[in-house]
Amino acid sequence: MTQPIEDEPQVVGLLLAAGGGRRLGGRPKALLTHRGRPLVEHAVRVLREGGCTEVHVVLGASAEVVRERARLDGCVLVDNPGWAEGMGSSLRAGLESLAGTGAAAALVSLVDQPGIGAAAIARVRAAYRSPASLASAAYDGRRGHPVLLGAERWAPVAASAEGDRGARAYLKAHESAITLVECGDVAEPYDIDTEADLGRLDPSSGTP
């Protein structure tokens, strides 16, 4: 596990895990089984192993069930009652939860991308330079997740986050300021969106 250096600016993991899995028959993505446990647990562990000692998790669909079934000890759980509006509402809720924490940046990841592991998290986290930092993982040069947002970016990102676009509009408008961190050699950025994608999850019940 990557350990933060003492007095190093805090980069908080921000996991968006509110989706209802509309194309999965209404099964919340956070509760999909991966390595014998809810997928949200895997995503939190990856953020921690990548160096984010604090993790905020945005919940939406079946939030109470997720709280009951998933082991999310030590996480800050953020409820997003407007989760059905899309990823933008979850990003806004997550960034709002960080206000006043003193964190220097948020490292935003998605619950439905189990092919992105701790190595990619650590690389993008290491791109932090200041509260104005803006960085993103890249896969063969194409921007993807995770995305690092310095604290100075939070308010304008939240203001532009609508529907399922998340931070996409803001990032497109500030493309020249983004530090791209190539992660194609250590991660695969696929999403678990449809029934066909479920085959990418690990059904084993062994110790993750």
PDB file of all heavy atoms in Angstrom, residues 36-60:
ATOM      1  N   GLY A  36     -16.489 -12.143  -4.121  1.00  0.00           N
ATOM      2  CA  GLY A  36     -17.250 -12.590  -2.964  1.00  0.00           C
ATOM      3  C   GLY A  36     -17.857 -11.502  -2.105  1.00  0.00           C
ATOM      4  O   GLY A  36     -18.529 -11.804  -1.118  1.00  0.00           O
ATOM      5  N   ARG A  37     -17.652 -10.242  -2.461  1.00  0.00           N
ATOM      6  CA  ARG A  37     -18.143  -9.133  -1.658  1.00  0.00           C
ATOM      7  C   ARG A  37     -18.751  -8.064  -2.575  1.00  0.00           C
ATOM      8  O   ARG A  37     -18.536  -8.075  -3.786  1.00  0.00           O
ATOM      9  CB  ARG A  37     -17.003  -8.508  -0.841  1.00  0.00           C
ATOM     10  CG  ARG A  37     -16.351  -9.421   0.193  1.00  0.00           C
ATOM     11  CD  ARG A  37     -17.343  -9.848   1.279  1.00  0.00           C
ATOM     12  NE  ARG A  37     -17.939  -8.659   1.907  1.00  0.00           N
ATOM     13  CZ  ARG A  37     -19.037  -8.716   2.657  1.00  0.00           C
ATOM     14  NH1 ARG A  37     -19.665  -9.865   2.850  1.00  0.00           N
ATOM     15  NH2 ARG A  37     -19.514  -7.611   3.209  1.00  0.00           N
ATOM     16  N   PRO A  38     -19.514  -7.116  -2.013  1.00  0.00           N
ATOM     17  CA  PRO A  38     -20.071  -6.044  -2.836  1.00  0.00           C
ATOM     18  C   PRO A  38     -18.971  -5.254  -3.555  1.00  0.00           C
ATOM     19  O   PRO A  38     -17.907  -4.984  -2.987  1.00  0.00           O
ATOM     20  CB  PRO A  38     -20.804  -5.159  -1.813  1.00  0.00           C
ATOM     21  CG  PRO A  38     -21.183  -6.099  -0.714  1.00  0.00           C
ATOM     22  CD  PRO A  38     -20.015  -7.048  -0.612  1.00  0.00           C
ATOM     23  N   LEU A  39     -19.245  -4.885  -4.785  1.00  0.00           N
ATOM     24  CA  LEU A  39     -18.267  -4.198  -5.621  1.00  0.00           C
ATOM     25  C   LEU A  39     -17.768  -2.907  -4.968  1.00  0.00           C
ATOM     26  O   LEU A  39     -16.606  -2.523  -5.143  1.00  0.00           O
ATOM     27  CB  LEU A  39     -18.888  -3.897  -6.990  1.00  0.00           C
ATOM     28  CG  LEU A  39     -17.997  -3.296  -8.068  1.00  0.00           C
ATOM     29  CD1 LEU A  39     -16.778  -4.176  -8.336  1.00  0.00           C
ATOM     30  CD2 LEU A  39     -18.801  -3.095  -9.350  1.00  0.00           C
ATOM     31  N   VAL A  40     -18.619  -2.240  -4.207  1.00  0.00           N
ATOM     32  CA  VAL A  40     -18.214  -0.988  -3.568  1.00  0.00           C
ATOM     33  C   VAL A  40     -17.049  -1.206  -2.603  1.00  0.00           C
ATOM     34  O   VAL A  40     -16.180  -0.333  -2.459  1.00  0.00           O
ATOM     35  CB  VAL A  40     -19.417  -0.330  -2.846  1.00  0.00           C
ATOM     36  CG1 VAL A  40     -19.907  -1.172  -1.681  1.00  0.00           C
ATOM     37  CG2 VAL A  40     -19.064   1.084  -2.383  1.00  0.00           C
ATOM     38  N   GLU A  41     -16.994  -2.361  -1.956  1.00  0.00           N
ATOM     39  CA  GLU A  41     -15.872  -2.648  -1.045  1.00  0.00           C
ATOM     40  C   GLU A  41     -14.554  -2.710  -1.810  1.00  0.00           C
ATOM     41  O   GLU A  41     -13.520  -2.197  -1.354  1.00  0.00           O
ATOM     42  CB  GLU A  41     -16.091  -3.965  -0.309  1.00  0.00           C
ATOM     43  CG  GLU A  41     -17.145  -3.915   0.767  1.00  0.00           C
ATOM     44  CD  GLU A  41     -17.224  -5.234   1.523  1.00  0.00           C
ATOM     45  OE1 GLU A  41     -16.246  -6.025   1.472  1.00  0.00           O
ATOM     46  OE2 GLU A  41     -18.254  -5.487   2.161  1.00  0.00           O
ATOM     47  N   HIS A  42     -14.593  -3.351  -2.965  1.00  0.00           N
ATOM     48  CA  HIS A  42     -13.391  -3.452  -3.800  1.00  0.00           C
ATOM     49  C   HIS A  42     -12.918  -2.062  -4.194  1.00  0.00           C
ATOM     50  O   HIS A  42     -11.717  -1.748  -4.123  1.00  0.00           O
ATOM     51  CB  HIS A  42     -13.699  -4.280  -5.042  1.00  0.00           C
ATOM     52  CG  HIS A  42     -12.634  -4.226  -6.090  1.00  0.00           C
ATOM     53  ND1 HIS A  42     -11.474  -4.975  -6.023  1.00  0.00           N
ATOM     54  CD2 HIS A  42     -12.545  -3.491  -7.243  1.00  0.00           C
ATOM     55  CE1 HIS A  42     -10.723  -4.710  -7.069  1.00  0.00           C
ATOM     56  NE2 HIS A  42     -11.344  -3.818  -7.828  1.00  0.00           N
ATOM     57  N   ALA A  43     -13.844  -1.199  -4.620  1.00  0.00           N
ATOM     58  CA  ALA A  43     -13.485   0.137  -5.074  1.00  0.00           C
ATOM     59  C   ALA A  43     -12.872   0.969  -3.952  1.00  0.00           C
ATOM     60  O   ALA A  43     -11.918   1.725  -4.176  1.00  0.00           O
ATOM     61  CB  ALA A  43     -14.719   0.838  -5.645  1.00  0.00           C
ATOM     62  N   VAL A  44     -13.403   0.826  -2.744  1.00  0.00           N
ATOM     63  CA  VAL A  44     -12.843   1.547  -1.597  1.00  0.00           C
ATOM     64  C   VAL A  44     -11.433   1.038  -1.290  1.00  0.00           C
ATOM     65  O   VAL A  44     -10.510   1.820  -1.045  1.00  0.00           O
ATOM     66  CB  VAL A  44     -13.750   1.383  -0.359  1.00  0.00           C
ATOM     67  CG1 VAL A  44     -13.016   1.839   0.910  1.00  0.00           C
ATOM     68  CG2 VAL A  44     -15.033   2.175  -0.533  1.00  0.00           C
ATOM     69  N   ARG A  45     -11.275  -0.271  -1.326  1.00  0.00           N
ATOM     70  CA  ARG A  45      -9.960  -0.848  -1.027  1.00  0.00           C
ATOM     71  C   ARG A  45      -8.917  -0.371  -2.028  1.00  0.00           C
ATOM     72  O   ARG A  45      -7.774  -0.062  -1.654  1.00  0.00           O
ATOM     73  CB  ARG A  45     -10.042  -2.370  -1.034  1.00  0.00           C
ATOM     74  CG  ARG A  45      -8.731  -3.048  -0.607  1.00  0.00           C
ATOM     75  CD  ARG A  45      -8.880  -4.546  -0.464  1.00  0.00           C
ATOM     76  NE  ARG A  45      -9.211  -5.177  -1.722  1.00  0.00           N
ATOM     77  CZ  ARG A  45     -10.402  -5.673  -2.030  1.00  0.00           C
ATOM     78  NH1 ARG A  45     -11.412  -5.588  -1.178  1.00  0.00           N
ATOM     79  NH2 ARG A  45     -10.629  -6.250  -3.193  1.00  0.00           N
ATOM     80  N   VAL A  46      -9.277  -0.285  -3.288  1.00  0.00           N
ATOM     81  CA  VAL A  46      -8.352   0.175  -4.322  1.00  0.00           C
ATOM     82  C   VAL A  46      -7.901   1.610  -4.039  1.00  0.00           C
ATOM     83  O   VAL A  46      -6.717   1.947  -4.163  1.00  0.00           O
ATOM     84  CB  VAL A  46      -9.017   0.070  -5.718  1.00  0.00           C
ATOM     85  CG1 VAL A  46      -8.264   0.904  -6.739  1.00  0.00           C
ATOM     86  CG2 VAL A  46      -9.074  -1.385  -6.154  1.00  0.00           C
ATOM     87  N   LEU A  47      -8.837   2.476  -3.654  1.00  0.00           N
ATOM     88  CA  LEU A  47      -8.475   3.852  -3.338  1.00  0.00           C
ATOM     89  C   LEU A  47      -7.510   3.908  -2.156  1.00  0.00           C
ATOM     90  O   LEU A  47      -6.528   4.656  -2.174  1.00  0.00           O
ATOM     91  CB  LEU A  47      -9.731   4.669  -3.026  1.00  0.00           C
ATOM     92  CG  LEU A  47     -10.545   5.118  -4.244  1.00  0.00           C
ATOM     93  CD1 LEU A  47     -11.912   5.626  -3.823  1.00  0.00           C
ATOM     94  CD2 LEU A  47      -9.798   6.214  -5.014  1.00  0.00           C
ATOM     95  N   ARG A  48      -7.778   3.109  -1.149  1.00  0.00           N
ATOM     96  CA  ARG A  48      -6.906   3.104   0.023  1.00  0.00           C
ATOM     97  C   ARG A  48      -5.518   2.552  -0.317  1.00  0.00           C
ATOM     98  O   ARG A  48      -4.502   3.101   0.115  1.00  0.00           O
ATOM     99  CB  ARG A  48      -7.557   2.298   1.148  1.00  0.00           C
ATOM    100  CG  ARG A  48      -8.720   3.038   1.809  1.00  0.00           C
ATOM    101  CD  ARG A  48      -9.404   2.205   2.840  1.00  0.00           C
ATOM    102  NE  ARG A  48     -10.363   3.006   3.616  1.00  0.00           N
ATOM    103  CZ  ARG A  48     -11.379   2.512   4.283  1.00  0.00           C
ATOM    104  NH1 ARG A  48     -11.596   1.194   4.289  1.00  0.00           N
ATOM    105  NH2 ARG A  48     -12.190   3.300   4.968  1.00  0.00           N
ATOM    106  N   GLU A  49      -5.487   1.488  -1.082  1.00  0.00           N
ATOM    107  CA  GLU A  49      -4.192   0.906  -1.455  1.00  0.00           C
ATOM    108  C   GLU A  49      -3.411   1.840  -2.373  1.00  0.00           C
ATOM    109  O   GLU A  49      -2.181   1.767  -2.436  1.00  0.00           O
ATOM    110  CB  GLU A  49      -4.401  -0.456  -2.105  1.00  0.00           C
ATOM    111  CG  GLU A  49      -4.896  -1.514  -1.133  1.00  0.00           C
ATOM    112  CD  GLU A  49      -5.149  -2.861  -1.797  1.00  0.00           C
ATOM    113  OE1 GLU A  49      -5.102  -2.933  -3.045  1.00  0.00           O
ATOM    114  OE2 GLU A  49      -5.427  -3.822  -1.062  1.00  0.00           O
ATOM    115  N   GLY A  50      -4.121   2.726  -3.062  1.00  0.00           N
ATOM    116  CA  GLY A  50      -3.466   3.701  -3.921  1.00  0.00           C
ATOM    117  C   GLY A  50      -2.998   4.939  -3.182  1.00  0.00           C
ATOM    118  O   GLY A  50      -2.415   5.835  -3.792  1.00  0.00           O
ATOM    119  N   GLY A  51      -3.256   4.983  -1.860  1.00  0.00           N
ATOM    120  CA  GLY A  51      -2.732   6.079  -1.056  1.00  0.00           C
ATOM    121  C   GLY A  51      -3.739   7.052  -0.489  1.00  0.00           C
ATOM    122  O   GLY A  51      -3.355   8.002   0.187  1.00  0.00           O
ATOM    123  N   CYS A  52      -5.027   6.834  -0.740  1.00  0.00           N
ATOM    124  CA  CYS A  52      -6.055   7.721  -0.193  1.00  0.00           C
ATOM    125  C   CYS A  52      -6.496   7.181   1.167  1.00  0.00           C
ATOM    126  O   CYS A  52      -7.299   6.237   1.245  1.00  0.00           O
ATOM    127  CB  CYS A  52      -7.255   7.817  -1.131  1.00  0.00           C
ATOM    128  SG  CYS A  52      -6.880   8.544  -2.735  1.00  0.00           S
ATOM    129  N   THR A  53      -5.981   7.761   2.227  1.00  0.00           N
ATOM    130  CA  THR A  53      -6.299   7.252   3.563  1.00  0.00           C
ATOM    131  C   THR A  53      -7.714   7.605   3.982  1.00  0.00           C
ATOM    132  O   THR A  53      -8.298   6.939   4.840  1.00  0.00           O
ATOM    133  CB  THR A  53      -5.310   7.797   4.599  1.00  0.00           C
ATOM    134  OG1 THR A  53      -5.312   9.225   4.553  1.00  0.00           O
ATOM    135  CG2 THR A  53      -3.894   7.297   4.307  1.00  0.00           C
ATOM    136  N   GLU A  54      -8.277   8.656   3.393  1.00  0.00           N
ATOM    137  CA  GLU A  54      -9.675   9.007   3.651  1.00  0.00           C
ATOM    138  C   GLU A  54     -10.455   8.829   2.363  1.00  0.00           C
ATOM    139  O   GLU A  54     -10.005   9.241   1.292  1.00  0.00           O
ATOM    140  CB  GLU A  54      -9.807  10.442   4.152  1.00  0.00           C
ATOM    141  CG  GLU A  54     -11.238  10.832   4.479  1.00  0.00           C
ATOM    142  CD  GLU A  54     -11.369  12.198   5.121  1.00  0.00           C
ATOM    143  OE1 GLU A  54     -10.373  12.676   5.710  1.00  0.00           O
ATOM    144  OE2 GLU A  54     -12.469  12.789   5.042  1.00  0.00           O
ATOM    145  N   VAL A  55     -11.637   8.213   2.485  1.00  0.00           N
ATOM    146  CA  VAL A  55     -12.468   7.958   1.312  1.00  0.00           C
ATOM    147  C   VAL A  55     -13.910   8.383   1.599  1.00  0.00           C
ATOM    148  O   VAL A  55     -14.495   7.979   2.609  1.00  0.00           O
ATOM    149  CB  VAL A  55     -12.454   6.460   0.913  1.00  0.00           C
ATOM    150  CG1 VAL A  55     -13.373   6.222  -0.284  1.00  0.00           C
ATOM    151  CG2 VAL A  55     -11.034   6.000   0.598  1.00  0.00           C
ATOM    152  N   HIS A  56     -14.465   9.207   0.722  1.00  0.00           N
ATOM    153  CA  HIS A  56     -15.874   9.580   0.775  1.00  0.00           C
ATOM    154  C   HIS A  56     -16.591   8.759  -0.288  1.00  0.00           C
ATOM    155  O   HIS A  56     -16.137   8.696  -1.438  1.00  0.00           O
ATOM    156  CB  HIS A  56     -16.063  11.065   0.488  1.00  0.00           C
ATOM    157  CG  HIS A  56     -15.605  11.958   1.611  1.00  0.00           C
ATOM    158  ND1 HIS A  56     -16.318  13.078   2.007  1.00  0.00           N
ATOM    159  CD2 HIS A  56     -14.521  11.895   2.432  1.00  0.00           C
ATOM    160  CE1 HIS A  56     -15.681  13.667   3.007  1.00  0.00           C
ATOM    161  NE2 HIS A  56     -14.580  12.968   3.278  1.00  0.00           N
ATOM    162  N   VAL A  57     -17.697   8.130   0.089  1.00  0.00           N
ATOM    163  CA  VAL A  57     -18.450   7.277  -0.828  1.00  0.00           C
ATOM    164  C   VAL A  57     -19.847   7.849  -1.005  1.00  0.00           C
ATOM    165  O   VAL A  57     -20.595   7.996  -0.028  1.00  0.00           O
ATOM    166  CB  VAL A  57     -18.562   5.834  -0.290  1.00  0.00           C
ATOM    167  CG1 VAL A  57     -19.314   4.957  -1.293  1.00  0.00           C
ATOM    168  CG2 VAL A  57     -17.188   5.264   0.004  1.00  0.00           C
ATOM    169  N   VAL A  58     -20.207   8.176  -2.236  1.00  0.00           N
ATOM    170  CA  VAL A  58     -21.538   8.709  -2.525  1.00  0.00           C
ATOM    171  C   VAL A  58     -22.475   7.554  -2.860  1.00  0.00           C
ATOM    172  O   VAL A  58     -22.241   6.796  -3.806  1.00  0.00           O
ATOM    173  CB  VAL A  58     -21.500   9.715  -3.690  1.00  0.00           C
ATOM    174  CG1 VAL A  58     -22.903  10.277  -3.940  1.00  0.00           C
ATOM    175  CG2 VAL A  58     -20.527  10.847  -3.388  1.00  0.00           C
ATOM    176  N   LEU A  59     -23.538   7.415  -2.055  1.00  0.00           N
ATOM    177  CA  LEU A  59     -24.519   6.355  -2.233  1.00  0.00           C
ATOM    178  C   LEU A  59     -25.837   6.940  -2.725  1.00  0.00           C
ATOM    179  O   LEU A  59     -26.162   8.091  -2.435  1.00  0.00           O
ATOM    180  CB  LEU A  59     -24.752   5.617  -0.917  1.00  0.00           C
ATOM    181  CG  LEU A  59     -23.532   4.956  -0.266  1.00  0.00           C
ATOM    182  CD1 LEU A  59     -23.922   4.331   1.079  1.00  0.00           C
ATOM    183  CD2 LEU A  59     -22.937   3.909  -1.190  1.00  0.00           C
ATOM    184  N   GLY A  60     -26.591   6.130  -3.456  1.00  0.00           N
ATOM    185  CA  GLY A  60     -27.881   6.592  -3.956  1.00  0.00           C
ATOM    186  C   GLY A  60     -28.885   5.466  -4.004  1.00  0.00           C
ATOM    187  O   GLY A  60     -29.651   5.243  -3.072  1.00  0.00           O
TER     188      GLY A  60
END
